[in-house]
């Protein structure tokens, strides 16, 4: 068996999430050094936030193109509405996956029952053949699987014999692991995948490389197993493991759009601003408040980022 020879450590940056009640998130992907892990192109990590102090999450109707959104909570509850007509709740340990290929709009609002909001918001880039896919929404509550030293929930793909039924457009892995105190866990993985480990709580070693909370460790393809170690003998550690084969297509990410050219971004922005919804993105029913306007485009042409800087 082979283990990663090196693990790249990405540190987060604080980003205010737009809307009338802005909340701060920790963003580890994309970065200049690395834009993707497989088709995973975006990773926000937030909380634990005391909703009484922060006001929680209230993101007005906003658009997406060319991607799938993956919502996963550790605590709290978020109400989701979209222009497909979906009305669902994001709850701890349950996956909500929304496909916004050609165009979709949605809202995210933490519920009155929420006291502490804590979770991750992830995006997946759609491959060229499917980037105009129709709107879709999927929900899945994976059963916990007990491993030696850890509890596993696989929300996308397959790991340690557990498989998610959720449909994706490229091979992906997405899983939450709760590591026991002092646990040293070795997982068989697909050697064609690159992997990322996002630490939520605890201090964890990823193939021997220490990671602090909110850091993302990245390993290139090649290894057929990964070792995760909880350095604490008294406290559990929680991590999110992401993976997929390298996504070789060049993409441009701007605001909520994943496109291929500057002109595509400009067209998507114009379509949204024309009616703040309209036929391309549709309307979200049940939210009291105006849609979010798009920011101004930069004065220079947007250019694709390389997968790895």
């Amino acid at each position: 068996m082979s283990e990663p020879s090196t693990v790249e450590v990405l540190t987060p940056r604080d980003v205010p999430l737009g809307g009338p009640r802005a909340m701060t998130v920790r963003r580890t992907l994309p970065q200049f050094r690395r834009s993707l892990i497989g088709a995973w192109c975006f990773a926000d990590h937030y909380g634990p936030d005391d909703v009484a102090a922060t006001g929680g999450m209230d993101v007005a109707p906003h658009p997406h193109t060319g991607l799938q959104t993956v919502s996963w909570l550790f605590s709290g509850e978020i109400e989701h509405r979209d222009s497909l007509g979906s009305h669902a709740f994001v709850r701890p340990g349950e996956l909500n996956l929304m496909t916004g290929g050609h165009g979709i709009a949605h809202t995210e609002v933490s519920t009155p029952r929420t006291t502490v909001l804590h979770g991750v918001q992830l995006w997946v880039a759609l491959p060229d053949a499917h980037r105009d896919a129709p709107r879709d929404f999927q929900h899945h509550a994976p059963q916990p699987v007990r491993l030696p030293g850890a509890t596993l929930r696989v929300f996308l793909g397959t790991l340690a014999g557990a498989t998610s039924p959720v449909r994706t457009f490229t091979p992906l892995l997405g899983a939450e692991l709760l590591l026991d105190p002092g646990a040293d866990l070795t997982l068989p993985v697909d050697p064609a995948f690159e992997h990322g480990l996002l630490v939520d709580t605890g201090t964890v070693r990823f193939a021997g490389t220490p990671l602090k909370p909110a850091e993302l460790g990245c390993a290139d393809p090649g290894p057929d197993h990964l070792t995760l170690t909880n350095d604490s003998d008294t406290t559990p550690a929680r991590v999110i493991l992401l993976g997929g084969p390298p996504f070789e297509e060049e993409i441009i990410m701007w605001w909520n759009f994943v496109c291929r050219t500057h002109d595509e971004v400009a067209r998507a922005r114009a379509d949204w601003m024309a009616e703040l919804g309209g036929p391309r993105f549709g309307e979200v029913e049940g939210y009291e408040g105006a849609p979010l306007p798009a920011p101004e485009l930069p004065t220079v042409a947007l250019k694709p980022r390389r997968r790895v800087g």
Side-chain angles (χ1 to χ4, degrees):
M1 293 194 301
S2 62
E3 185 86 347
S5 56
T6 59
V7 171
E8 180 183 20
V9 180
L10 302 181
T11 57
R13 64 188 187 279
D14 288 345
V15 176
L17 197 67
R21 280 160 45 191
M23 60 179 287
T24 299
V25 300
R26 298 175 292 276
R27 184 163 298 165
T28 47
L29 204 67
Q31 295 199 17
F32 179 76
R33 286 187 293 160
R34 181 180 288 264
S35 296
L36 298 118
I37 297 171
W40 298 100
C41 61
F42 179 93
D44 273 359
H45 176 220
Y46 53 89
D49 291 336
D50 180 353
V51 169
T54 65
M57 180 183 292
D58 186 350
V59 185
H62 60 282
H64 287 291
T65 63
L67 55 77
Q68 292 181 300
T69 64
V70 175
S71 301
W72 186 261
L73 282 179
F74 306 128
S75 67
E77 184 180 63
I78 296 172
E79 186 174 22
H80 164 98
R81 298 177 186 268
D82 64 41
S83 55
L84 181 67
S86 311
H87 180 207
F89 292 89
V90 187
R91 297 186 174 104
E94 299 182 8
L95 170 73
N96 278 6
L97 183 144
M98 183 184 73
T99 300
H102 183 64
I104 197 169
H106 74 133
T107 63
E108 300 161 291
V109 181
S110 51
T111 66
R113 291 187 290 271
T114 298
T115 56
V116 175
L117 192 59
H118 187 190
V120 292
Q121 180 69 49
L122 311 166
W123 293 358
V124 176
L126 294 177
D128 188 66
H130 299 285
R131 62 193 180 98
D132 284 323
R135 301 167 191 163
D136 192 24
F137 180 84
Q138 300 174 75
H139 173 86
H140 175 55
Q143 291 297 312
V145 176
R146 185 62 192 168
L147 303 174
T151 299
L152 167 70
R153 286 180 171 84
V154 177
F155 50 85
L156 289 178
T158 297
L159 183 66
T163 297
S164 167
V166 175
R167 303 178 303 279
T168 60
F169 293 89
T170 57
L172 290 172
L173 171 63
E176 176 192 303
L177 292 112
L178 189 63
L179 302 170
D180 296 345
D184 192 41
L185 176 67
T186 297
L187 294 166
V189 295
D190 190 330
F193 280 22
E194 49 193 3
H195 290 89
L197 190 76
L198 176 64
V199 177
D200 175 47
T201 58
T203 300
V204 175
R205 278 180 287 134
F206 181 35
T209 299
L211 299 173
K212 298 184 296 234
E215 290 183 333
L216 177 67
C218 305
D220 290 332
D224 59 11
H225 76 283
L226 299 172
T227 299
L228 313 181
T229 305
N230 181 359
D231 278 339
S232 173
D233 291 329
T234 59
T235 307
R238 182 163 49 207
V239 298
I240 295 291
L241 181 62
L242 306 174
F247 190 85
E248 301 294 355
E249 300 175 24
E250 290 189 335
I251 62 172
I252 292 176
M253 287 182 57
W254 181 83
W255 195 41
N256 300 316
F257 307 136
V258 175
C259 299
R260 298 305 190 273
T261 68
H262 177 93
D263 287 346
E264 287 181 12
V265 173
R267 187 162 55 250
R269 182 191 183 278
D271 289 346
W272 173 252
M273 292 299 292
E275 299 179 29
L276 287 179
R280 176 170 181 177
F281 297 101
E283 296 183 4
V284 181
E285 297 182 356
Y287 179 88
E288 296 182 3
L292 288 178
E296 293 295 328
L297 278 170
T299 55
V300 297
L302 296 164
K303 295 182 178 180
R305 288 187 177 188
R306 290 183 294 172
R307 185 176 63 84
V308 178

